[in-house]
Amino acid sequence: MMSCGSPPTEVEDEYEKLVIRMNPPRVTVDNTSDIAATLVKVDSANKFGSLLEVVQVLTDLKITIRRAYISSDGEWFMDVFHVVDHEGNKLSDSEVINRIEQSLGAKALRLQSSKSSVGIQAIAGHTSVELIGRDRPGLLSEVFAVLTDLKCNVVAAEVWTHNSRMASVVYVTDGATGGPINDSDWLDKIKVLLRYVLKGNRDKRSAKTAISKGATHKERRLHQIMCADRDYNSEDESLEEEEETSDRNKPFVTVENCIEKEYTVVNVRCKDRPKLLFDTICTLTDMKFVVFHGTVITEGPEAHQEYYIRHLDESPVSSEGERQRLVHCLEAAIQRRNTEGLRLELCCEDRVGLLSDVTRIFRENGLAVSQAEVSTRGSQAMNVFYVMDASGNPVQSHTIEAVRNEIGERILHVKDDSSSTSRDSGRLSFGNMIRSRSEKFLYNLGLIRSCS
């Protein structure tokens, strides 16, 4: 594999394009080898970020990855994914093949870091607003209220909270024209007012603003924003004590050097959930690590991931400080997306100010939003909120009923995931009884088990 420690020269860039043209990605779908899942096999010329691109495509298609086997020594990578659709069935749609091939054939987007707490970026169709600040009850309501007051329409958003920090990527349009916002004075006003809201009277880490650049994948950008904000470090002692009481939910991450093979071996064990593989691969990639070999297996409700990694210059982790940082960053990446609270789904006709009104009702009824995903399909708003009370406790049923009565019982629904979780657990356990050919292959290479 070509070393990518520094930006590629024009010759290297053209060589990479030539290799891809001569050896286009090969994607095959196998529905016969595994009775419980579809095997998606990807062979392609290797370049830094190839693995993340594949996982990102599968994740965006809402495909669940039950098992994965990764091998990328040399200038070629071969990945095998055991996948099912969102209902736990084998795949039958050929769209996954086209999407992966298109992704691998395109030039990887270059990462661009941003130290700002509020970044604004005008891209096709909308303007992207990035936020980072200290989390508190009612913060999201204040953010949406400011955007509504400034005549902005929110068409999509993702909100994460972790370790008392809140990060969000919000896509807005001009409320009058429906197009992106390009007026510099308008953008400056948005930044100033949102920074004022984020900073509040306690946050000392949200004083800077800047205009972001690039067009990074939304969820990957959230990981980058929160990691740059060092959300993997607790802000106060009370939060650390709170975390100690919930160690049973904490992911188990180990990082050890395998001296004989000059790899660093990363092991992750945690509760399985959607998009888990994306979160770990995204973190390793953004920390400039290359995954040379890897195995991902879900056992019932638990997931086990093992990666053999090196730096871009092909050196393993070299210090205890670096090892600890890698552990903390992986733990944080897993925990950021862990959903806490009651899931509420809002489905209705979209309008300017909808989110401001809904989150205001949440705030007035003492609800705090721990995570949110906002999207618009045509004229319909399709929004998901995870809510708790202002103290972080489960929401009382009478509070939810009051909120539903005010917003509308027909458009705000309470979602219970417990039945689907138990149903999927049975399927996963059954699927794991079968040892696939790809697993045997990696086992024979000695790359499934960690070095002692």
Side-chain angles (χ1 to χ4, degrees):
M1 177 177 175
M2 188 183 301
S3 175
C4 302
S6 57
T9 65
E10 184 177 348
V11 173
E12 291 172 337
D13 190 56
E14 289 303 317
Y15 172 75
E16 181 180 333
K17 293 177 182 178
L18 177 62
V19 170
I20 292 176
R21 285 197 298 268
M22 293 176 61
N23 302 281
R26 293 194 298 272
V27 182
T28 59
V29 175
D30 177 1
N31 268 319
T32 61
S33 298
D34 190 327
I35 62 174
T38 297
L39 270 64
V40 176
K41 304 175 183 179
V42 183
D43 298 332
S44 174
N46 198 11
K47 60 185 177 67
F48 180 61
S50 295
L51 175 60
L52 178 58
E53 291 177 38
V54 176
V55 173
Q56 181 175 299
V57 169
L58 293 174
T59 302
D60 288 346
L61 289 172
K62 299 187 184 305
I63 291 172
T64 299
I65 301 172
R66 290 184 173 175
R67 293 188 177 193
Y69 305 98
I70 301 157
S71 180
S72 62
D73 270 333
E75 296 186 356
W76 197 261
F77 80 81
M78 297 174 287
D79 297 342
V80 179
F81 301 92
H82 295 234
V83 303
V84 293
D85 63 19
H86 66 283
E87 295 180 348
N89 301 318
K90 289 186 176 184
L91 304 184
S92 57
D93 193 342
S94 61
E95 180 186 6
V96 63
I97 300 176
N98 296 329
R99 287 286 297 275
I100 294 175
E101 288 178 337
Q102 291 171 6
S103 173
L104 292 177
K107 183 67 179 175
L109 295 174
R110 300 194 184 282
L111 299 179
Q112 298 194 25
S113 60
S114 173
K115 299 181 179 179
S116 63
S117 60
V118 179
I120 294 185
Q121 166 203 352
I123 59 179
H126 57 257
T127 300
S128 176
V129 183
E130 298 175 359
L131 311 112
I132 183 72
R134 182 183 177 88
D135 188 33
R136 65 177 187 277
L139 175 59
L140 194 59
S141 173
E142 294 176 31
V143 168
F144 288 143
V146 167
L147 291 172
T148 299
D149 190 57
L150 292 172
K151 312 302 181 185
C152 301
N153 183 38
V154 178
V155 295
E158 188 99 9
V159 181
W160 293 356
T161 61
H162 179 242
N163 268 0
S164 80
R165 305 298 289 174
M166 187 281 286
S168 179
V169 175
V170 185
Y171 296 156
V172 299
T173 59
D174 183 326
T177 67
I181 300 171
N182 296 304
D183 184 275
S184 59
D185 292 336
W186 192 356
L187 295 178
D188 287 340
K189 190 172 183 179
I190 293 173
K191 288 194 295 180
V192 169
L193 292 181
L194 286 179
R195 183 178 60 183
Y196 178 78
V197 168
L198 288 170
K199 187 175 181 180
N201 59 2
R202 298 183 61 190
D203 196 350
K204 299 178 181 179
R205 292 158 60 180
S206 295
K208 296 181 180 179
T209 63
I211 296 177
S212 65
K213 299 178 181 179
T216 307
H217 184 269
K218 178 176 59 177
E219 296 173 12
R220 183 179 184 183
R221 186 68 191 127
L222 280 170
H223 278 302
Q224 293 173 352
I225 293 170
M226 298 200 87
C227 185
D229 189 59
R230 300 176 67 86
D231 74 312
Y232 49 86
N233 290 332
S234 300
E235 274 197 350
D236 50 55
E237 295 181 0
S238 61
L239 185 61
E240 291 178 0
E241 292 174 1
E242 202 174 286
E243 287 182 341
E244 289 177 3
T245 63
S246 59
D247 277 347
R248 57 190 176 86
N249 296 321
K250 187 176 181 180
F252 179 71
V253 181
T254 62
V255 176
E256 300 175 347
N257 278 344
C258 181
I259 299 176
E260 295 177 356
K261 298 182 179 179
E262 297 182 342
Y263 289 114
T264 293
V265 184
V266 176
N267 270 283
V268 178
R269 283 189 180 274
C270 63
K271 181 180 178 181
D272 190 30
R273 61 162 174 76
K275 302 185 179 182
L276 178 63
L277 181 59
F278 171 83
D279 294 337
T280 53
I281 295 297
C282 178
T283 300
L284 291 172
T285 303
D286 283 342
M287 294 184 75
K288 306 301 186 209
F289 286 107
V290 178
V291 177
F292 287 87
H293 300 282
T295 304
V296 177
I297 300 176
T298 57
E299 299 286 352
E302 185 179 69
H304 175 213
Q305 303 180 7
E306 183 173 73
Y307 304 111
Y308 287 73
I309 66 172
R310 293 176 185 153
H311 288 291
L312 281 168
D313 63 3
E314 300 194 0
S315 64
V317 171
S318 59
S319 68
E320 176 61 19
E322 184 181 19
R323 188 188 72 82
Q324 287 289 339
R325 184 171 183 273
L326 178 54
V327 169
H328 294 326
C329 286
L330 284 170
E331 289 175 345
I334 294 168
Q335 292 174 314
R336 284 175 197 135
R337 209 198 287 262
N338 286 348
T339 53
E340 296 182 358
L342 187 67
R343 178 183 172 110
L344 301 178
E345 297 183 353
L346 177 69
C347 304
C348 63
E349 189 77 12
D350 190 32
R351 61 175 173 80
V352 176
L354 172 65
L355 289 168
S356 177
D357 292 340
V358 169
T359 52
R360 173 184 53 78
I361 293 171
F362 288 167
R363 185 191 70 223
E364 291 173 349
N365 284 272
L367 299 185
V369 178
S370 63
Q371 192 173 118
E373 184 175 356
V374 174
S375 61
T376 306
R377 299 176 186 175
S379 63
Q380 292 292 305
M382 310 288 288
N383 305 332
V384 175
F385 305 93
Y386 286 87
V387 298
M388 301 178 288
D389 71 14
S391 301
N393 298 316
V395 183
Q396 298 296 316
S397 58
H398 64 83
T399 303
I400 290 300
E401 288 308 309
V403 170
R404 293 188 68 209
N405 286 335
E406 193 167 353
I407 295 176
E409 294 183 359
R410 293 185 177 182
I411 63 175
L412 184 65
H413 306 279
V414 179
K415 178 70 173 180
D416 182 8
D417 294 326
S418 58
S419 59
S420 61
T421 300
S422 60
R423 180 173 64 249
D424 287 345
S425 297
R427 289 176 178 170
L428 290 174
S429 297
F430 179 71
N432 288 331
M433 295 173 62
I434 303 171
R435 181 177 293 273
S436 68
R437 295 176 184 175
S438 51
E439 183 177 355
K440 289 181 180 179
F441 173 73
L442 288 177
Y443 178 84
N444 292 333
L445 290 178
L447 293 173
I448 287 185
R449 296 177 180 174
S450 299
C451 299
S452 56

